[in-house]
Amino acid sequence: MTDIQRKALPLGLCGKDILGAAKTGSGKTLAFLVPMIEMLYRQKWGPQDGLGALIISPTRELAVQIFEVLRKIGREHSFSAGLIIGGKDWKIERELISKMNILVCTPGRLLQHMDQSAGFNCDLLQLLVLDEADRILDMGFKKTINAIVENLPPQRQTMLFSATQTKSVKDLARLSLKDPEYVAVHEKSEHATPKNLSQYYMVVPLQQKLDVMFNFIKTHLTAKGIVFLSSCKQVRFVFETFCKMHPGVPLLHLHGKQKQQKRAETYAKFAAQKAAYLFCTDIAARGLDFAAVNWVIQLDCPEDPETYIHRVGRTARYEASGQAMLMLCPSEETGMIQGLERAKVPIQEVKLKQDAKDVKKEPIQKQMQRLCFNDPEIKYLGQKAFISYMRSVYLQKDKTVFDVNALPAEEFAASLGLPGAPKIKFVEKSKAKNAVRGSQKKSSDDEDESADEQEEEEEERSKVKALDAKKKKSKKEVVPEDEEDAEATGSKQVKSKIEKMFNRKNQSVLADHYTKLVDHDNDNKAAKARTGGDDNDDDDIFTIKRADHDLGGDEIPEDTVLPTSKRQQRMSKLEKTKNQGQGNKLLFDEDGQAHELYELEDEASFHAKGDALSQQKEFLEKEKKVMDRADVVDKSTAKEKLREKKAKRKQREREDMMDEDSEDDGEMVVTLGNPDDSDDQGDDYSMDEDNYSGDDNSDNEDDDEETPKKRGWWQDKADAEESKKKRKVVEVDEPQTLAEQEALALKLLGL
Ligand SMILES: Nc1ncnc2c1ncn2[C@@H]1O[C@H](COP(=O)(O)OP(=O)(O)OP(=O)(O)O)[C@@H](O)[C@H]1O
């Protein structure tokens, strides 16, 4: 047993709330799964009891991993367990979720079920586990978690686990735990990282990072490594280009923009490989337990020491040893190393070999240029990678580490194979601001200024974020256009062939294979991570600077500017109709003259028709008849509609039932105690409804009332024989003569 298990298990088994912290790879998963299963077992939890335990994880991969461990250790039990992680068929999940005793899920999907799945009931929940609680909160799930917790019964046991505990976790603990036991086994240990982990850092100029990385891979071909980058776009670019340069070892990539199936495939492939490199975002930083990872390389600086600790924790797990390399730009060194020292991370510097710095030894930059030149898709990815990296640095909170102005943008762009650095609005602004500040600094009070500075930067950040959100809504990707690139590369010079190629149009369209890989459903979700996170579609906020052309001529008055986009046009139509007010109904006579529906006639002709009361009565009766007729029509139309609706619903239900019969429920539900459910069955989690007893059987009975029972083969055979008996069969030869025909006729008449 590990330390955390030794301490947490007895408390968990006593039903105590736990706030658990222990180093990465120290076995926290079992520290909550074992008491959970034990508790349900002791209470003789069965299908009729519904949901007994809920485990929430920040990422889908981690949820899958927890689910796998649960399958292994729960083999002897008969609880049903479900995996609810999004990216799967909602309808199937909705059907099955109400039958589960244990759920492993991601927060968003769980809340969606709580809100929308009628059968989902957690009134009897006994245990809630939040694994990597701080990450759940960092990813912006605070409100979701609060909403989930509000839906759960208060008299439950709760456990929060993570290798790092932040203030927000303590806040959450205050709200959701009752008299918790704080189990922090490594709190007093000298280092915050596993003792078998060797940690190094290297100061590498930004423009040499890819070169160093590629050489690292070439010189460690038998190793298994995870390479962390700060955004999905960088991951995609580095993966694609490195693959094309054939380093001689399998390369994989994992990020939040991939479809769930692709993510699962990559996860499984990397887990199975002995030597491979996985390029990923922080989506893989937490909790993932790949066997025998030798190296964790952080190509981009982590946002804080906590993230660093989780990233390096993907190696040296349990009792294994491992190595970690952090690459820092010169401007990041001091701040980051001080932060790591404070967080009790022992790290030592290794110097970049002199020959690696040697420019004469051809770096991979030339190959990158060739790739970008030959393949517009690669160039496009490069531009996106450049922008998203700059943005991630700009958005980082810790300005003692991250300074976007200190980065050599042109050289970095060149190292990606780009002909020039795309100009990015905010970097320009930031530089200009810095210049102004530099001149003001001499005369102004230092303290005031730094406060202003922070405020302004905060403001700028929020502006960028707002713009980001707005752009995401419009679903457009900002792609550098010809003039923009031209400006970036210095348009006044004579353009070379290469530059012309780079400035080609229509490069915004990625090849089919890329669009297939990318989960566009996620594209419009709000950016969850502040920087470089899993679902970070961030570079849309950047606009590449355009030259302002003097168009000449008169300016068009504002109110005559016509809406250009379809959406704008729709909106303006809507506005118009709103302001138009209600129209009057008019009747046209035979001469085509328009009349109001009820026109006032002159007094004399009114009185000529009789007294006012009788006229009123007559009018009302006439109108009532009209209304009655209209009512009859309306009612029959409504009835017809209802009938159609009903028929459609029935048809849908029939189709659903047929789908259910034919579909494999797939990968998300398992009955733990299924004796056939052994390891060697791999990923086949398909559920056999027959494994359920109690309530579920009664469910089936209900179903039987509505749909004809499925018949077994034995029933079919018996029925066939019975009906054969009932039918009277007269077997005769074909009559040849008249006498034979007469005899047959008599036989048929039964005489
Ligand atoms: N008691 C044990 N005996 C042997 N191996 C164990 C034991 N407990 C856990 N392990 C193994 O240790 C590895 C790490 O465990 P686990 O994933 O639970 O760590 P963790 O503390 O949750 O890490 P992280 O903080 O990175 O999520 C796993 O491969 C697990 O199988």
Coordinates of all heavy atoms in Angstrom, one line a residue, residues 635-704:
K635 N -60.6 23.1 -34.5 CA -60.5 21.9 -33.7 C -60.1 20.7 -34.5 O -59.3 19.9 -34.1 CB -61.9 21.6 -33.0 CG -62.0 22.3 -31.7 CD -63.3 22.0 -31.0 CE -63.5 22.9 -29.8 NZ -64.9 22.9 -29.4
S636 N -60.7 20.6 -35.7 CA -60.4 19.4 -36.5 C -58.9 19.5 -37.0 O -58.2 18.5 -37.0 CB -61.3 19.3 -37.7 OG -61.0 20.2 -38.7
T637 N -58.4 20.7 -37.3 CA -57.0 20.9 -37.7 C -56.1 20.5 -36.5 O -55.1 19.7 -36.7 CB -56.7 22.4 -38.0 OG1 -57.8 22.9 -38.6 CG2 -55.5 22.5 -38.9
A638 N -56.5 20.9 -35.3 CA -55.7 20.6 -34.1 C -55.7 19.1 -33.9 O -54.6 18.5 -33.6 CB -56.3 21.3 -32.9
K639 N -56.8 18.5 -34.0 CA -56.9 17.0 -33.9 C -56.0 16.3 -34.9 O -55.3 15.4 -34.5 CB -58.4 16.6 -34.1 CG -59.1 16.3 -32.7 CD -60.4 15.7 -33.0 CE -61.3 15.7 -31.8 NZ -62.7 15.3 -32.1
E640 N -56.1 16.8 -36.1 CA -55.3 16.2 -37.1 C -53.8 16.3 -36.8 O -53.1 15.3 -36.9 CB -55.6 16.9 -38.5 CG -55.0 16.3 -39.7 CD -55.3 14.8 -39.9 OE1 -56.5 14.4 -39.6 OE2 -54.4 14.0 -40.2
K641 N -53.4 17.5 -36.3 CA -52.0 17.7 -36.0 C -51.6 16.7 -34.9 O -50.5 16.2 -34.9 CB -51.8 19.1 -35.5 CG -51.5 20.1 -36.7 CD -51.1 21.4 -36.2 CE -50.9 22.4 -37.3 NZ -51.0 23.7 -36.9
L642 N -52.5 16.6 -33.9 CA -52.2 15.8 -32.7 C -52.0 14.3 -33.2 O -51.1 13.6 -32.8 CB -53.3 15.8 -31.8 CG -53.0 15.6 -30.3 CD1 -52.1 16.8 -29.8 CD2 -54.2 15.5 -29.4
R643 N -52.9 13.9 -34.1 CA -52.8 12.5 -34.6 C -51.5 12.3 -35.3 O -50.8 11.3 -35.1 CB -54.0 12.3 -35.6 CG -54.9 11.2 -35.1 CD -55.8 10.6 -36.2 NE -56.4 11.7 -37.0 CZ -57.6 12.3 -36.8 NH1 -58.2 12.0 -35.7 NH2 -58.1 13.2 -37.6
E644 N -51.1 13.3 -36.2 CA -49.9 13.2 -36.9 C -48.7 13.1 -36.0 O -47.8 12.3 -36.1 CB -49.7 14.4 -37.8 CG -50.3 14.3 -39.2 CD -50.2 15.5 -40.0 OE1 -49.3 16.3 -39.7 OE2 -51.0 15.7 -40.8
K645 N -48.7 14.0 -34.9 CA -47.7 14.0 -34.0 C -47.5 12.6 -33.3 O -46.4 12.1 -33.1 CB -48.0 15.0 -32.9 CG -46.9 16.0 -32.7 CD -47.4 17.1 -31.7 CE -46.3 17.8 -31.1 NZ -46.8 18.8 -30.2
K646 N -48.7 12.1 -32.9 CA -48.7 10.8 -32.2 C -48.1 9.7 -33.1 O -47.2 8.9 -32.6 CB -50.1 10.5 -31.8 CG -50.3 10.0 -30.4 CD -51.7 9.8 -30.1 CE -52.0 9.1 -28.9 NZ -53.4 9.0 -28.6
A647 N -48.5 9.8 -34.3 CA -48.0 8.7 -35.3 C -46.5 8.9 -35.4 O -45.8 7.9 -35.4 CB -48.7 8.9 -36.6
K648 N -46.1 10.1 -35.5 CA -44.6 10.3 -35.7 C -43.9 9.8 -34.5 O -42.8 9.2 -34.6 CB -44.3 11.8 -35.9 CG -44.4 12.3 -37.3 CD -44.0 13.7 -37.4 CE -44.3 14.2 -38.8 NZ -44.3 15.7 -38.8
R649 N -44.4 10.2 -33.3 CA -43.7 9.7 -32.1 C -43.6 8.2 -32.0 O -42.6 7.7 -31.7 CB -44.5 10.3 -30.8 CG -43.6 10.3 -29.6 CD -44.4 10.7 -28.4 NE -45.4 9.7 -28.0 CZ -46.6 10.0 -27.6 NH1 -47.0 11.3 -27.6 NH2 -47.5 9.1 -27.3
K650 N -44.8 7.6 -32.4 CA -44.8 6.1 -32.3 C -43.7 5.6 -33.3 O -43.0 4.6 -33.0 CB -46.2 5.6 -32.7 CG -47.1 5.8 -31.6 CD -47.9 4.5 -31.3 CE -48.5 4.6 -29.9 NZ -49.9 4.2 -29.9
Q651 N -43.7 6.2 -34.5 CA -42.8 5.8 -35.5 C -41.3 5.9 -35.0 O -40.5 5.0 -35.1 CB -42.9 6.6 -36.7 CG -42.0 6.4 -37.9 CD -42.1 5.0 -38.5 OE1 -43.2 4.4 -38.3 NE2 -41.1 4.5 -39.1
R652 N -41.1 7.0 -34.3 CA -39.7 7.3 -33.7 C -39.4 6.2 -32.7 O -38.3 5.7 -32.7 CB -39.7 8.7 -33.1 CG -38.9 9.7 -33.9 CD -38.4 10.8 -33.1 NE -39.4 11.4 -32.1 CZ -40.3 12.3 -32.4 NH1 -40.4 12.8 -33.6 NH2 -41.1 12.7 -31.4
E653 N -40.4 6.0 -31.8 CA -40.1 5.0 -30.8 C -39.8 3.6 -31.4 O -38.9 2.9 -30.9 CB -41.4 4.9 -29.9 CG -41.4 6.0 -28.8 CD -42.7 6.0 -28.1 OE1 -43.6 5.1 -28.3 OE2 -42.9 7.0 -27.3
R654 N -40.6 3.3 -32.4 CA -40.4 2.0 -33.1 C -38.9 1.9 -33.7 O -38.2 1.0 -33.5 CB -41.4 1.8 -34.2 CG -42.6 1.0 -33.8 CD -43.3 0.4 -35.0 NE -43.8 1.5 -35.9 CZ -45.0 2.1 -35.7 NH1 -45.7 1.8 -34.6 NH2 -45.3 3.1 -36.5
E655 N -38.5 3.1 -34.3 CA -37.2 3.1 -34.9 C -36.1 3.0 -33.8 O -35.1 2.3 -33.9 CB -37.0 4.5 -35.6 CG -37.6 4.4 -37.0 CD -37.7 5.8 -37.6 OE1 -37.0 6.7 -37.1 OE2 -38.4 5.9 -38.6
D656 N -36.4 3.8 -32.7 CA -35.4 3.8 -31.6 C -35.2 2.3 -31.1 O -34.1 1.9 -30.8 CB -35.9 4.6 -30.4 CG -35.7 6.1 -30.7 OD1 -35.1 6.3 -31.7 OD2 -36.2 6.9 -29.9
M657 N -36.4 1.6 -30.9 CA -36.3 0.3 -30.4 C -35.5 -0.6 -31.4 O -34.7 -1.4 -30.9 CB -37.7 -0.3 -30.2 CG -37.9 -0.6 -28.8 SD -39.6 -0.4 -28.2 CE -40.7 -0.6 -29.5
M658 N -35.8 -0.4 -32.6 CA -35.0 -1.2 -33.6 C -33.5 -0.9 -33.5 O -32.7 -1.7 -33.5 CB -35.5 -0.9 -35.0 CG -36.9 -1.5 -35.1 SD -37.7 -1.7 -36.6 CE -36.6 -1.6 -37.9
D659 N -33.2 0.5 -33.4 CA -31.8 0.9 -33.2 C -31.2 0.2 -32.0 O -30.1 -0.3 -32.1 CB -31.7 2.4 -33.0 CG -32.0 3.1 -34.3 OD1 -32.1 2.4 -35.4 OD2 -32.1 4.4 -34.3
E660 N -32.0 0.3 -30.9 CA -31.4 -0.3 -29.7 C -31.1 -1.7 -29.8 O -30.1 -2.2 -29.3 CB -32.4 -0.1 -28.5 CG -32.2 1.2 -27.8 CD -33.4 1.5 -26.9 OE1 -33.9 0.5 -26.3 OE2 -33.7 2.6 -26.7
D661 N -32.0 -2.4 -30.5 CA -31.7 -3.9 -30.7 C -30.4 -4.1 -31.5 O -29.6 -5.0 -31.2 CB -32.9 -4.5 -31.5 CG -34.1 -4.7 -30.6 OD1 -33.9 -4.5 -29.3 OD2 -35.2 -4.9 -31.1
S662 N -30.3 -3.2 -32.6 CA -29.1 -3.5 -33.4 C -27.8 -2.8 -33.0 O -26.8 -3.3 -33.3 CB -29.5 -3.0 -34.8 OG -29.7 -1.6 -34.7
E663 N -27.9 -1.8 -32.2 CA -26.7 -1.0 -31.9 C -26.0 -1.6 -30.7 O -26.5 -2.2 -29.8 CB -27.2 0.4 -31.4 CG -26.8 1.5 -32.3 CD -27.3 2.8 -31.8 OE1 -27.3 3.0 -30.6 OE2 -27.8 3.5 -32.7
D664 N -24.7 -1.5 -30.8 CA -23.8 -1.9 -29.7 C -23.8 -0.7 -28.7 O -23.5 0.4 -29.1 CB -22.4 -2.1 -30.2 CG -21.5 -2.5 -29.2 OD1 -21.9 -2.7 -28.0 OD2 -20.3 -2.6 -29.5
D665 N -24.1 -0.9 -27.5 CA -24.2 0.2 -26.5 C -22.9 0.8 -26.3 O -22.8 2.0 -25.9 CB -24.7 -0.3 -25.2 CG -26.2 -0.6 -25.3 OD1 -26.9 0.1 -26.1 OD2 -26.7 -1.5 -24.6
G666 N -21.8 0.1 -26.5 CA -20.5 0.6 -26.6 C -19.8 1.3 -25.5 O -20.4 2.3 -25.0
E667 N -18.8 0.9 -25.0 CA -17.7 1.6 -24.3 C -18.1 2.4 -23.1 O -17.3 3.2 -22.6 CB -17.0 2.6 -25.3 CG -16.2 1.8 -26.3 CD -15.2 2.7 -26.9 OE1 -15.2 3.9 -26.6 OE2 -14.4 2.2 -27.7
M668 N -19.3 2.4 -22.6 CA -19.5 3.3 -21.5 C -20.3 2.7 -20.4 O -20.5 3.4 -19.4 CB -20.3 4.5 -22.0 CG -21.5 4.2 -22.7 SD -22.3 5.7 -23.2 CE -23.9 5.1 -23.3
V669 N -20.7 1.5 -20.5 CA -21.4 0.9 -19.4 C -20.8 -0.5 -19.1 O -20.4 -1.2 -20.0 CB -22.9 0.7 -19.7 CG1 -23.6 0.1 -18.5 CG2 -23.4 2.1 -20.0
V670 N -20.7 -0.9 -17.9 CA -20.2 -2.2 -17.5 C -20.9 -2.7 -16.3 O -21.2 -1.9 -15.4 CB -18.7 -2.1 -17.4 CG1 -18.2 -1.4 -16.2 CG2 -18.1 -3.5 -17.4
T671 N -21.2 -3.9 -16.2 CA -21.6 -4.5 -15.0 C -20.4 -5.1 -14.3 O -19.8 -6.1 -14.9 CB -22.7 -5.5 -15.2 OG1 -23.7 -4.9 -16.0 CG2 -23.3 -6.0 -13.9
L672 N -20.0 -4.6 -13.2 CA -18.7 -4.9 -12.6 C -18.6 -6.4 -12.4 O -17.6 -7.0 -12.6 CB -18.4 -4.2 -11.4 CG -18.3 -2.6 -11.6 CD1 -18.1 -2.0 -10.2 CD2 -17.2 -2.3 -12.5
G673 N -19.7 -7.0 -11.9 CA -19.6 -8.4 -11.5 C -19.7 -9.5 -12.6 O -19.7 -10.6 -12.4
N674 N -19.8 -9.0 -13.9 CA -19.9 -10.0 -14.9 C -18.7 -10.9 -15.0 O -17.6 -10.5 -15.2 CB -20.0 -9.2 -16.3 CG -20.4 -10.1 -17.4 OD1 -20.3 -11.3 -17.2 ND2 -20.7 -9.5 -18.5
P675 N -18.9 -12.2 -14.7 CA -17.8 -13.1 -14.6 C -17.0 -13.2 -15.9 O -15.8 -13.4 -15.9 CB -18.4 -14.4 -14.2 CG -19.8 -14.3 -14.5 CD -20.2 -12.9 -14.5
D676 N -17.7 -12.9 -17.0 CA -17.0 -13.0 -18.3 C -16.2 -11.7 -18.6 O -15.4 -11.6 -19.6 CB -18.0 -13.2 -19.5 CG -18.7 -14.5 -19.3 OD1 -18.2 -15.4 -18.7 OD2 -19.9 -14.5 -19.8
D677 N -16.4 -10.8 -17.8 CA -15.8 -9.4 -18.0 C -14.3 -9.4 -17.6 O -14.0 -8.7 -16.7 CB -16.6 -8.4 -17.2 CG -16.2 -7.0 -17.5 OD1 -15.6 -6.8 -18.6 OD2 -16.5 -6.2 -16.7
S678 N -13.5 -10.1 -18.3 CA -12.1 -10.2 -17.9 C -11.3 -9.2 -18.7 O -11.7 -8.7 -19.7 CB -11.6 -11.6 -18.0 OG -11.8 -12.0 -19.4
D679 N -10.1 -9.0 -18.2 CA -9.2 -8.1 -18.9 C -9.0 -8.3 -20.4 O -8.9 -7.4 -21.1 CB -7.8 -8.3 -18.2 CG -7.5 -7.2 -17.2 OD1 -8.4 -6.4 -17.1 OD2 -6.5 -7.2 -16.6
D680 N -8.9 -9.6 -20.7 CA -8.5 -9.9 -22.1 C -9.6 -9.5 -23.0 O -9.5 -9.6 -24.2 CB -8.1 -11.3 -22.2 CG -9.0 -12.3 -21.6 OD1 -10.2 -11.9 -21.3 OD2 -8.6 -13.4 -21.2
Q681 N -10.7 -9.0 -22.5 CA -11.8 -8.6 -23.4 C -11.5 -7.2 -23.9 O -12.3 -6.6 -24.7 CB -13.1 -8.6 -22.7 CG -13.7 -10.0 -22.7 CD -15.0 -10.0 -22.0 OE1 -15.1 -9.6 -20.8 NE2 -16.0 -10.4 -22.6
G682 N -10.5 -6.6 -23.4 CA -10.1 -5.3 -23.9 C -11.1 -4.2 -23.7 O -11.6 -4.1 -22.6
D683 N -11.4 -3.5 -24.7 CA -12.3 -2.3 -24.6 C -13.7 -2.6 -24.7 O -14.5 -1.7 -24.9 CB -11.8 -1.3 -25.6 CG -10.5 -0.6 -25.2 OD1 -10.3 -0.6 -24.0 OD2 -9.8 -0.3 -26.1
D684 N -14.1 -3.8 -24.7 CA -15.5 -4.1 -24.9 C -16.3 -4.0 -23.6 O -16.3 -4.8 -22.8 CB -15.6 -5.6 -25.4 CG -17.0 -6.0 -25.7 OD1 -17.8 -5.0 -25.8 OD2 -17.3 -7.2 -25.8
Y685 N -16.9 -2.8 -23.5 CA -17.7 -2.6 -22.2 C -19.1 -2.8 -22.5 O -20.0 -2.3 -21.7 CB -17.5 -1.1 -21.7 CG -16.1 -0.6 -21.7 CD1 -15.9 0.8 -22.1 CD2 -15.1 -1.3 -21.2 CE1 -14.6 1.3 -22.0 CE2 -13.8 -0.8 -21.2 CZ -13.6 0.5 -21.6 OH -12.4 1.0 -21.5
S686 N -19.5 -3.4 -23.5 CA -20.9 -3.4 -23.9 C -21.8 -4.1 -22.8 O -21.3 -5.0 -22.2 CB -21.1 -4.1 -25.2 OG -20.7 -5.4 -25.1
M687 N -23.0 -3.6 -22.6 CA -23.8 -4.0 -21.5 C -24.8 -5.0 -21.9 O -25.4 -4.9 -23.0 CB -24.5 -2.8 -20.9 CG -25.2 -3.2 -19.6 SD -26.2 -1.9 -19.2 CE -27.4 -2.0 -20.4
D688 N -24.9 -6.0 -21.1 CA -26.0 -7.0 -21.4 C -27.1 -6.7 -20.4 O -27.0 -6.9 -19.2 CB -25.4 -8.4 -21.1 CG -26.4 -9.5 -21.4 OD1 -27.5 -9.1 -21.8 OD2 -26.0 -10.7 -21.3
E689 N -28.2 -6.3 -21.0 CA -29.4 -6.0 -20.2 C -29.8 -7.1 -19.2 O -30.3 -6.9 -18.2 CB -30.5 -5.5 -21.0 CG -30.4 -4.2 -21.7 CD -30.8 -3.1 -20.8 OE1 -31.6 -3.3 -19.9 OE2 -30.3 -1.9 -21.1
D690 N -29.6 -8.3 -19.7 CA -30.0 -9.5 -18.8 C -29.3 -9.5 -17.5 O -29.7 -10.2 -16.6 CB -29.8 -10.8 -19.6 CG -30.7 -10.9 -20.8 OD1 -31.6 -10.1 -20.8 OD2 -30.4 -11.7 -21.7
N691 N -28.1 -8.8 -17.4 CA -27.4 -8.8 -16.2 C -28.1 -8.1 -15.1 O -27.8 -8.2 -13.9 CB -26.0 -8.2 -16.3 CG -25.1 -9.1 -17.0 OD1 -25.2 -10.3 -16.9 ND2 -24.1 -8.6 -17.8
Y692 N -29.1 -7.3 -15.4 CA -29.8 -6.6 -14.4 C -30.9 -7.4 -13.8 O -31.5 -8.3 -14.5 CB -30.5 -5.3 -15.0 CG -29.4 -4.3 -15.3 CD1 -28.9 -4.3 -16.6 CD2 -28.9 -3.5 -14.3 CE1 -27.9 -3.4 -16.9 CE2 -27.9 -2.7 -14.6 CZ -27.4 -2.6 -15.9 OH -26.4 -1.7 -16.1
S693 N -31.2 -7.2 -12.6 CA -32.3 -7.9 -12.0 C -33.2 -6.9 -11.3 O -33.0 -5.7 -11.4 CB -31.8 -8.9 -11.0 OG -30.9 -8.2 -10.1
G694 N -34.2 -7.3 -10.5 CA -35.0 -6.4 -9.7 C -35.8 -5.4 -10.6 O -36.5 -5.8 -11.5
D695 N -35.6 -4.2 -10.3 CA -36.3 -3.1 -11.0 C -36.2 -3.1 -12.5 O -37.2 -2.8 -13.2 CB -35.8 -1.7 -10.5 CG -36.6 -1.3 -9.4 OD1 -37.4 -2.1 -8.8 OD2 -36.5 -0.1 -8.9
D696 N -35.0 -3.5 -12.9 CA -34.9 -3.5 -14.4 C -35.7 -4.5 -15.1 O -36.2 -4.2 -16.2 CB -33.4 -3.7 -14.7 CG -32.6 -2.6 -14.2 OD1 -33.1 -1.5 -14.0 OD2 -31.4 -2.8 -14.0
N697 N -35.9 -5.6 -14.4 CA -36.8 -6.6 -15.0 C -38.2 -6.0 -15.1 O -38.9 -6.2 -16.1 CB -36.8 -7.9 -14.2 CG -35.6 -8.7 -14.4 OD1 -34.9 -8.4 -15.4 ND2 -35.3 -9.6 -13.6
S698 N -38.6 -5.3 -14.0 CA -40.0 -4.7 -14.1 C -40.1 -3.7 -15.2 O -41.1 -3.5 -15.8 CB -40.3 -4.1 -12.7 OG -39.5 -3.0 -12.4
D699 N -38.9 -3.0 -15.4 CA -38.9 -2.1 -16.6 C -39.2 -2.8 -17.9 O -40.0 -2.4 -18.7 CB -37.5 -1.5 -16.7 CG -37.3 -0.3 -15.8 OD1 -38.3 0.0 -15.1 OD2 -36.2 0.2 -15.7
N700 N -38.6 -4.0 -18.0 CA -38.8 -4.7 -19.2 C -40.2 -5.1 -19.3 O -40.8 -5.1 -20.4 CB -37.9 -6.0 -19.2 CG -36.4 -5.6 -19.3 OD1 -36.2 -4.4 -19.8 ND2 -35.5 -6.4 -19.0
E701 N -40.8 -5.5 -18.1 CA -42.2 -5.9 -18.2 C -43.1 -4.7 -18.7 O -44.0 -4.9 -19.5 CB -42.7 -6.3 -16.8 CG -42.4 -7.8 -16.5 CD -42.4 -8.1 -15.1 OE1 -43.2 -7.4 -14.3 OE2 -41.7 -9.0 -14.6
D702 N -42.8 -3.5 -18.2 CA -43.5 -2.4 -18.7 C -43.4 -2.3 -20.2 O -44.4 -2.0 -20.9 CB -43.0 -1.1 -18.1 CG -43.4 -1.0 -16.6 OD1 -44.2 -1.9 -16.2 OD2 -42.8 -0.2 -15.9
D703 N -42.2 -2.4 -20.7 CA -42.0 -2.3 -22.1 C -42.8 -3.3 -22.9 O -43.3 -3.0 -23.9 CB -40.5 -2.6 -22.4 CG -39.6 -1.5 -21.9 OD1 -40.2 -0.4 -21.6 OD2 -38.4 -1.6 -21.9
D704 N -42.9 -4.5 -22.2 CA -43.6 -5.6 -22.9 C -45.1 -5.2 -23.2 O -45.6 -5.6 -24.2 CB -43.6 -6.9 -22.1 CG -42.2 -7.4 -22.1 OD1 -41.4 -7.0 -22.9 OD2 -41.9 -8.3 -21.3

